[in-house]
Amino acid sequence: MYTPTNRTVRMAMTLAGMSLCLAPAWCTAADRRPNVIVIMSDDQGSIDAGCYGATVIKTAATDALANQGVRFTQYYSAAPVCSPSRAGLLTGCYPWRVGMPGNGSGPPSEEHDNLATYTGSGLPVGGFTMPGMFQKAGYATAHIGKWHLGVGVGCQPLQQGFDYSFGFMGGCIDNYSHFNYWGGPNRHDLWENGERVHRPGEFFPDLMVEKAESFIDSHRDKPFFMYFAINVPHYPYQGDSKWIEYYNERQVPYPRNLYAAWVSTLDDRLAQLMKYLDDTGLRENTIVVYQADNGYSTEQRAHHGGGSSGKYRGAKFSIYEGGTRLPAIISWPGHLPAGEVRSQVAHGCDWLPTLAEICDVPVDSQAKLNGRSLLKVIQSADASTPHDAVCWQFQQQWAVRQGPWKLMRDPQTHDGTTAPALVDGHWFLANIDDDPSESTNLASSHPELVEKLKQVYQREAAQ
């Protein structure tokens, strides 16, 4: 998609004595391939931003990003849980195809101060990834925040296409001590370029912004790709005191008060990052993508809830809509539509081919992607979804969606609600256009559709 401006072409002709630029040109520092920042929030509910219908939670920066870009209303993550969702984003493939059907391993043990010889499984060694794609195209690449895609040699960020990495390797940390927030023994989990670093008492979301700004400052003269995987609003809920006080003063009930404070804390860091892009003059040449990885958590460590899926059934770990139907926004001022909404079906594997097309970055011809470019959808509300069907797997659950129809096998809600009974003990069929809340099981009245969608799933999941 990227094309040179007339001024760029004239300058190239004058300076190089050429009749035209022979490739999509970034012939001057001001006219080059766009920067890309992909922001992934963690355990954010389907409607937990103002632009998605939250009436209590304040998310001014997220709402501003939506006003500057395109907001999706039928965007689905690649999985209802952290690691496989991230794998789908970074590879453009269904997570089970790249060895990440479930969550990755925890952090390394305390006796390791570097990851150079650490063994373990995760993303395939030498596989095609979004950062690798950008790196090969000459971009500087950075991972900042949560990884959770394996810590063994070959699976680590620096071996998956990133030039720089700062963050934690496991699934969650205490944001001040940077120790793994799970069962014992507690393990410190903060790393920079594969080396253990200690920043005790410093708030991790602030460290993320600090490292992001430093990376941008060091690479402002060439295009950069940044994966900003902020660990919020994943537990532990450790929101800024001003936001805790704000929601308590408004008598927001527990645990939504704690969760809301955490989401607004995330939003403040988004505001800082966007302000830095504005202040450095880089915003108009930077594509920003924002998405959540899966639905809100009802785990004990998350106070059994606090987030919301709104009218959608399900939460984190669920293949009902609330587990995967999530906030997603893309913004590039002056280049992509602004303040618009898209209702077409989009999927977590789609960002890789979408960004490749927008930035005119080649995709490995050997890569068999499940994602499809959303560029036509982004450009026009009248464009069709690029998908005939999409599917999900998690543990014993699976789902496939084709058109308005969604078939699920052994779905679980994980939100405390009781869903309609499954037909033959396994099957739930819904028309999502008519029933986005998945309140009625149509499997018994449409047995032919059940059988058809089983075959669609088998075909789609094997691709």
Side-chain angles (χ1 to χ4, degrees):
M1 176 195 177
Y2 186 81
T3 55
T5 63
N6 290 334
R7 179 174 67 84
T8 303
V9 173
R10 289 196 303 270
M11 182 177 295
M13 291 170 63
T14 300
L15 296 179
M18 298 172 64
S19 61
L20 51 84
C21 287
L22 297 178
W26 45 99
C27 300
T28 72
D31 295 289
R32 66 184 192 194
R33 278 178 169 148
N35 310 310
V36 177
I37 299 178
V38 175
I39 301 167
M40 180 171 263
S41 65
D42 200 352
D43 290 8
Q44 183 175 6
S46 303
I47 68 160
D48 284 331
C51 56
Y52 278 92
T55 57
V56 172
I57 301 177
K58 298 298 181 183
T59 57
T62 308
D63 300 346
L65 188 66
N67 288 334
Q68 296 172 347
V70 173
R71 177 172 64 87
F72 289 85
T73 59
Q74 287 200 84
Y75 177 86
Y76 293 91
S77 64
V81 70
C82 300
S83 297
S85 178
R86 293 158 197 275
L89 169 75
L90 293 181
T91 68
C93 296
Y94 289 137
W96 55 91
R97 287 190 52 227
V98 292
M100 298 297 300
N103 273 340
S105 59
S109 53
E110 290 287 343
E111 63 266 25
H112 292 85
D113 285 329
N114 67 71
L115 300 176
T117 60
Y118 199 83
T119 59
S121 61
L123 283 182
V125 176
F128 180 70
T129 65
M130 186 188 298
M133 174 184 76
F134 279 109
Q135 186 183 59
K136 190 173 181 179
Y139 279 64
T141 57
H143 151 256
I144 296 174
K146 176 173 175 174
W147 183 238
H148 208 199
L149 288 168
V151 293
V153 172
C155 308
Q156 300 159 17
L158 296 185
Q159 293 132 22
Q160 291 289 338
F162 289 106
D163 301 316
Y164 174 79
S165 173
F166 174 84
F168 60 97
M169 297 295 104
C172 54
I173 55 170
D174 174 83
N175 287 279
Y176 294 95
S177 70
H178 316 133
F179 276 70
N180 184 236
Y181 188 80
W182 204 260
N186 293 322
R187 288 171 285 175
H188 176 266
D189 190 16
L190 187 62
W191 307 82
E192 188 167 25
N193 290 336
E195 301 285 336
R196 190 186 297 277
V197 293
H198 293 273
R199 301 285 294 266
E202 298 186 65
F203 192 46
F204 185 71
D206 287 341
L207 289 175
M208 285 187 61
V209 174
E210 172 194 315
K211 296 296 184 179
E213 291 180 354
S214 177
F215 179 83
I216 292 170
D217 187 60
S218 299
H219 298 90
R220 65 170 66 195
D221 294 330
K222 65 180 293 187
F224 61 81
F225 166 78
M226 180 185 297
Y227 172 47
F228 190 83
I230 192 163
N231 58 320
V232 187
H234 194 289
Y235 54 81
Y237 296 166
Q238 294 177 304
D240 289 334
S241 59
K242 72 171 186 178
W243 287 115
I244 294 173
E245 293 170 5
Y246 175 89
Y247 291 110
N248 285 343
E249 288 172 356
R250 284 152 183 80
Q251 298 183 329
V252 176
Y254 166 84
R256 186 142 179 90
N257 59 335
L258 301 179
Y259 174 89
W262 203 205
V263 173
S264 293
T265 299
L266 155 66
D267 193 76
D268 279 353
R269 274 62 193 179
L270 174 60
Q272 292 173 24
L273 185 60
M274 300 307 294
K275 182 178 185 300
Y276 188 79
L277 291 175
D278 286 334
D279 291 347
T280 54
L282 294 173
R283 180 64 184 100
E284 290 187 358
N285 200 41
T286 303
I287 301 167
V288 177
V289 169
Y290 181 101
Q291 77 150 90
D293 66 342
N294 49 252
Y296 76 96
S297 174
T298 58
E299 296 163 86
Q300 182 183 41
R301 288 173 292 272
H303 301 261
H304 299 288
S308 176
S309 298
K311 64 184 178 182
Y312 307 120
R313 186 185 303 281
K316 181 180 180 180
F317 302 115
S318 172
I319 59 170
Y320 284 106
E321 294 286 282
T324 59
R325 185 165 173 166
L326 303 167
I329 300 165
I330 185 169
S331 171
W332 187 17
H335 301 271
L336 298 178
E340 297 191 17
V341 177
R342 298 291 183 263
S343 60
Q344 297 93 325
V345 170
H347 188 269
C349 295
D350 293 340
W351 289 127
L352 189 156
T354 301
L355 293 169
E357 183 173 6
I358 294 174
C359 299
D360 191 41
V361 171
V363 174
D364 188 333
S365 60
Q366 301 301 310
K368 297 180 179 179
L369 304 184
N370 297 109
R372 301 289 182 266
S373 175
L374 298 171
L375 181 56
K376 291 181 180 178
V377 170
I378 292 167
Q379 293 173 328
S380 173
D382 296 325
S384 299
T385 175
H387 293 283
D388 173 62
V390 290
C391 65
W392 300 265
Q393 292 179 10
F394 181 64
Q395 296 174 340
Q396 77 274 24
Q397 306 174 79
W398 63 252
V400 61
R401 177 159 178 194
Q402 186 178 52
W405 295 102
K406 179 180 174 185
L407 177 68
M408 295 177 282
R409 179 184 171 93
D410 297 335
Q412 300 175 10
T413 62
H414 289 279
D415 63 0
T417 65
T418 301
L422 303 179
V423 171
D424 295 332
H426 295 291
W427 305 106
F428 192 113
L429 177 68
N431 185 309
I432 300 300
D433 287 353
D434 296 338
D435 182 20
S437 300
E438 295 169 308
S439 59
T440 303
N441 188 353
L442 301 175
S444 60
S445 56
H446 294 281
E448 75 291 347
L449 267 176
V450 172
E451 292 306 313
K452 174 192 172 186
L453 289 171
K454 287 179 185 178
Q455 295 177 20
V456 172
Y457 169 77
Q458 291 169 358
R459 180 199 72 208
E460 184 71 20
Q463 290 182 355

